[in-house]
Structures are given as structure tokens and as C-alpha cells.
Amino acid sequence: MASSERFSAIRKGLLEFVILKVVASDKVYVADMLARLSATEFTTQEGTLYPLLSKMRREGLVDYEWQESDAGPPRKYYRLTAKGQSQLAELNDYWNSLNTTLGQLER
Amino acid sequence: MQKVITINLNGAAYQFDEDAFDTLRRYLDQARLRLKDNPDLAEIMTDLEQAIGEKCQKFLGAHKTVVSASEITQVLDEMGPVDGGEEPQSTDAGSQPGATPPLRDGDAPKRLYQISDGAIISGVCQGIAAYLNVDATLVRLVFVILAVVTKGGFALVYLVMMFVIPEASTSEEHAAAHGAPFNAKEIVDHATSKARSVADQALKNPKAFHADWRKQHRDFRRKWHRERRAWKREWRQSRRRARRWWGVPASAAPVAPPPVGYAAQVTAGVLVPVLSLASAAVFWIWAAAMMSLLATGAIFGRSLPSDLPMWAALLILALLFNMFAWPLHHARQASHAALGGRQRYGSVAAWDGMMGFGFWLLLGWAAYRYIPEVHQFFDNLPLVRDNLREVFGPLRR
């Protein structure tokens, strides 16, 4: 718990990257995203996710479409845009290079 | 037992306990505040409302239709605090999602504010009432009694508080002051119309009053009604402009001030506190004089001329008060308008209403005490009330 508190800044910085990964895998609804993330270190909440998604949509990384749901009103299903996909690829590369750097520093 | 409030969360109706409603309102107010610079504010708020609604569904069923305070707290814990985005939020104990303590009833800081919305003088009593979670009328009563007991000394305390205690202007400050906006104006209005209907009935007694007097009264009433209607329209409009989805107090979203010259604004800025002080002073002097007259039969130790009856003295006192108070009110109102103080118009009008109410109360009391027919009439009042209820009962909603 103590370490998870201490590294919260790292997770916060990575959240957008994580969301890009989650959205890339499938068309997802916010509740699905939260459910998938709840099992990981990146547990997050609506209060954080909605503002983040709206920011990413403004930046053209993700987009959503309305889909009817069997229970309740239609839901927003998010997917990556072309720009989002290239951003994700870039981030993946960057993450790998970071890992390499970290590995080299250990020696 | 709790009052239930029906609210609309993104198109679906939900029923909330009063406490639950307050908690939710605080959460959404805070969310709105944090997102105020976000271009997608409306959309995010809709999403949040939708999510809250869905989470509330879990608690509801065929035999459970109202969301309670503990349930909404649980829901909002799950929602987490709304992230304002890039702007540094580091002050509130780490803005990491999940690590930030969720907003709860007791967590919101409670501070003493003046609440000018619906205030009588400046909102000090309302602020104290909100802080102590008691009725503002009670606080006012305590203030008046203390002022009388200390021979006006306590009025100074009020004046000091008026300058020292900050005024709640944003909705967050309102939430910090207490939450639900308490509306003294409605009470004053209610009391005024009640007193008026009583007075109306008394005045309809043809034996007691000269026909000329009645005509004068009718004219006055018509004028008063007209003014009151215009004022109500004004009030409703300003409320509507201020309202987003809650009944946000009008002061939370000030109406654009009319263009006024700089010099006029400076003058008005100087005049408003001076006139307010003068108004308050006149009121307290009057109240103290009334009390001393009623308690000792003399005004500040000076006894009345022997041929002047008590009721006439009271009437003269009331008229004197109005003579001083009315011009002060109008000047104050004009200065407020020059400052663009539209949102405080209500307090000035409420003060006027209060004075009108006091005047009628006094008149009624004097009539009751010294005119036997009126006395008789008041004793028969329960009968009149029952009759009225029979007549007007079906007309009410």
C-alpha cells in the first residue's frame, strides 16, 4: 500500500497510455474500462475517467459512437482514431526505449 | 422521517432524501467548479450524472424507491473526485485518483459566511444560522432580543460582524457556509400576505371604518399588488438566469451590471455601506424605542404627554420610522443598482417587506387593543378561517 501511494504520480502519468491500450483492444464503454482496470494497478474512477476521455477526444485520439443498450439509455462506446493509433504506437516505442534505458542503467 | 426530493439525472427521475440530495449537490457543484474551464463541461456533467444514476439503480427496487445519504455517499466514493485536469490540484493531498479522500458530508469544510441571498440586513444571521444548522428566524430573534437587552449594544456586534465575516459569493462558498440556500424572503412574503389577509378582513368591517378610508386602502392595496407582482417577476427572472440545473442562489451567477459611469460607481460604493449603516441604525433605534415604550410606557425615559394615548404613540413611532427608513431604502436601492448589485436587490426588498409586515402587525395590534369591534372580530377569527377554508379549499392546488 505504501509503495502504491508513493508511485501514484507515475501511474497518473501513465493513465492516458493505459486508456489508449484499453480502447485499442475493443470498442469499450466506460463501465467496461473501469472493470478492466479495477483488476490492475491502474484502478480509476468515473470522476477521473470522464474528464480524461473528453480531453483525449478533443485531441482527436479517441472517438465514440452511441449504441443502444438492453438496460437503460444508449451508451457511448469509445474507439481509437487513426491519430490515437499512431500515438499509441509512438508511446509503445517510447516505453520500450525507456525500459531499455532503465535496463542499461542497472549495469 | 425525511423530506424527499425528486431530481433529474440526465433525463431519468430519481428520488433522494434531503441529506442525500445535499451531498450530491455538493459533489456536482464541486465537479462543475473544477471543470469550469473545460470546453466539454456540459458533456462531462451529463456523463457523470448518467453514471451516478446507474449506480443509484443498484440500491433501488420495487419496494425501495428513495436514495439515502449513506447510499449516495457510497456511490460518490465509487465515482471518485472529479479531476480538474492539468491545473495543479496538488494542494488537496495528492490528486491521484483513488488516493484523494472522497467527498463526504462531514468532509466539506464548514465556514462562517454572510449569506446575502434573502438576507434582511447583511446576511450575518443567515450565515450563523447556516453554520449552526438552525432556523435563521431564530438567530434573528436572538439578535433582536440581545440588542434590546443590551440597550442596543449588541447592534454594534452585528455591525462588526457585518464587516468582518466574508460574504459567500461562489456556489462553493455557499456549500461551505451550509449547503441548501435558506430563503428568508419566502418566509417574509408568506408572513406579509398572511398579515395582509387578516388586516383585509378587519378592514371589511363597515362599522369600524369610514368609507373613505376603505377606498384609500383599496387603492393602496392595488398599488401594492402591482408593485409586488413586478417585483416577483423580477425575482423570478433573475432566479431563472442564475439557475443551471439546481436552484443555484441568484448571487452565484451575478447578472451583468448595467453600464454605469465610474464616478457614479465610486459614489455608490461609498454610499452603500453608509446608507446600510444608517438604515440599520434607524431600525435599531426604532426597535429600542418600541421596546422601551411597551415595557416602561416611556421612550428612553421620557414619558409621553398625558393626553396622548399609547396606541397613538406607537403609531407615531411607526410613522416616524417609515419617514426616515423609506428615503434611506430608496437611496440604498439606487446605489445598489448603480453598483450592478442586482443580486442584492432581494435583500433590500426583503427588508422593505419586513418593515411593511412590522407596520401591519403594529397597526393590527393597536386596532385589536383599542377598537372593540376589531377586538371582537379577532376573537371570531377561527370561525372566519373555517369559512375561508371552505370557500378557498377546493381552489388550492
Side-chain angles (χ1 to χ4, degrees), chain A residues 5 8-9 11-12 15 29 43-48 50-51 54-55 57-58 64 66 73-76 78, chain B residues 27 35 38-40 43-44 47-48 50-51 54-55 77-83 86 95-99:
Chain A
E5 290 274 315
S8 71
R11 285 200 309 275
K12 191 178 167 70
L15 193 58
Y29 167 57
T43 306
T44 187
Q45 294 171 297
E46 281 94 337
T48 309
Y50 278 117
S54 95
K55 191 195 101 190
R57 194 174 76 92
R58 273 204 307 282
Y64 64 75
W66 291 101
R75 295 167 165 181
K76 284 176 183 171
Y78 286 86
Chain B
Y27 178 85
L35 296 169
N38 195 311
D40 292 327
E43 190 182 346
I44 298 174
D47 286 338
L48 291 172
Q50 172 75 35
E54 278 172 22
K55 283 177 191 294
D77 277 358
E78 276 177 40
M79 293 290 295
V82 172
D83 201 345
E86 296 91 284
S95 47
Q96 147 70 15

Side-chain angles (χ1 to χ4, degrees), chain B residues 73-389:
Chain B
T73 304
Q74 206 176 318
V75 165
L76 296 181
D77 277 358
E78 276 177 40
M79 293 290 295
V82 172
D83 201 345
E86 296 91 284
E87 59 265 65
Q89 296 264 308
S90 47
T91 42
D92 52 14
S95 47
Q96 147 70 15
T100 315
L103 187 78
R104 238 181 247 106
D105 242 9
D107 284 356
K110 208 174 194 184
R111 294 205 182 88
L112 190 55
Y113 280 105
Q114 292 186 50
I115 302 172
S116 60
D117 193 35
I120 301 289
I121 299 175
S122 171
V124 170
C125 288
Q126 282 214 110
I128 292 172
Y131 189 79
L132 299 175
N133 209 5
V134 294
D135 198 299
T137 318
L138 202 72
V139 179
R140 292 196 184 107
L141 212 63
V142 169
F143 260 75
V144 170
I145 289 169
L146 277 174
V148 170
V149 167
T150 59
K151 296 200 178 82
F154 204 72
L156 281 177
V157 176
Y158 186 96
L159 289 183
V160 170
M161 286 170 123
M162 207 165 108
F163 284 103
V164 171
I165 300 171
E167 201 172 301
S169 50
T170 68
S171 58
E172 199 176 47
E173 281 170 354
H174 270 282
H178 166 245
F182 175 76
N183 199 339
K185 187 214 142 266
E186 274 161 25
I187 289 177
V188 171
D189 250 15
H190 184 71
T192 317
S193 62
K194 230 185 193 169
R196 205 164 39 78
S197 78
V198 169
D200 278 359
Q201 288 303 315
L203 297 180
K204 273 188 190 133
N205 189 338
K207 276 182 198 157
F209 291 93
H210 202 268
D212 188 42
W213 212 106
R214 285 213 316 275
K215 188 183 169 300
Q216 264 183 16
H217 168 69
R218 242 193 335 265
D219 288 349
F220 172 75
R221 206 178 48 177
R222 220 170 282 143
K223 184 165 155 265
W224 199 72
H225 267 300
R226 225 183 358 254
E227 274 171 4
R228 193 151 163 267
R229 234 175 289 133
W231 183 73
K232 264 190 166 165
R233 209 178 309 127
E234 173 81 43
W235 165 262
R236 240 181 271 126
Q237 267 171 7
S238 76
R239 293 288 294 197
R240 208 170 302 136
R241 264 182 252 123
R243 180 176 293 141
R244 299 263 170 82
W245 14 269
W246 309 108
V248 177
S251 56
V255 181
V260 174
Y262 181 73
Q265 277 197 345
V266 171
T267 316
V270 175
L271 277 180
V272 165
V274 171
L275 290 170
S276 297
L277 279 178
S279 277
V282 167
F283 173 74
W284 289 119
I285 290 169
W286 174 71
M290 290 294 278
M291 280 298 151
S292 89
L293 182 61
L294 285 173
T296 64
I299 300 173
F300 299 133
R302 217 166 292 172
S303 52
L304 301 171
S306 53
D307 52 345
L308 191 69
M310 173 72 107
W311 64 269
L314 285 171
L315 207 64
I316 288 169
L317 215 52
L319 285 172
L320 267 174
F321 170 72
N322 274 298
M323 220 170 80
F324 285 106
W326 276 75
L328 279 173
H329 284 316
H330 285 291
R332 203 151 68 101
Q333 213 163 306
S335 303
H336 270 306
L339 280 178
R342 256 281 155 73
Q343 72 269 36
R344 294 205 53 180
Y345 181 71
S347 73
V348 177
W351 168 269
D352 282 343
M354 186 78 174
M355 287 309 107
F357 173 56
F359 187 72
W360 279 117
L361 208 67
L362 196 72
L363 214 65
W365 182 81
Y368 178 80
R369 186 107 161 67
Y370 298 104
I371 302 168
E373 283 89 346
V374 175
H375 189 97
Q376 231 169 42
F377 172 80
F378 272 88
D379 288 345
N380 288 334
L381 215 55
L383 216 75
V384 175
R385 188 194 55 205
D386 291 344
N387 286 345
L388 277 179
R389 200 173 277 166

